[in-house]
Amino acid sequence: MIIKVNGYELNVTKKQDVYVGGSTHGQMFINWGDLNSSEKTKLEEIEAQALNLISQSEQVLMTVET
């Protein structure tokens, strides 16, 4: 999963790496295996929210007349 918005970026590759970067706190790289189960669950919830936002965006854009 890759999310980019307004100069911030989150890249989660399950079973591998997590990267978050932005102008406020710089860059952070964390190995997925170093996260505890609560942190993994929270990132999986963010991924589900991102999927929902993408679905909503598709619905909005499907109604645009070209």
Side-chain angles (χ1 to χ4, degrees):
M1 161 187 68
I2 298 173
I3 301 172
K4 294 181 180 185
V5 64
N6 298 334
Y8 292 89
E9 181 176 350
L10 172 64
N11 185 342
V12 177
T13 306
K14 289 182 186 177
K15 311 292 186 220
Q16 293 181 17
D17 299 312
V18 177
Y19 162 78
V20 65
S23 57
T24 307
H25 298 294
Q27 298 179 327
M28 186 183 318
F29 296 88
I30 300 172
N31 185 291
W32 180 263
D34 292 339
L35 299 171
N36 65 39
S37 62
S38 174
E39 294 162 336
K40 290 176 182 177
T41 298
K42 288 176 184 176
L43 288 172
E44 289 168 344
E45 290 170 359
I46 291 169
E47 183 176 34
Q49 291 173 20
L51 180 57
N52 186 38
L53 289 171
I54 291 168
S55 295
Q56 289 178 31
S57 298
E58 285 179 333
Q59 291 301 313
V60 168
L61 295 176
M62 287 174 60
T63 62
V64 174
E65 293 183 28
T66 56

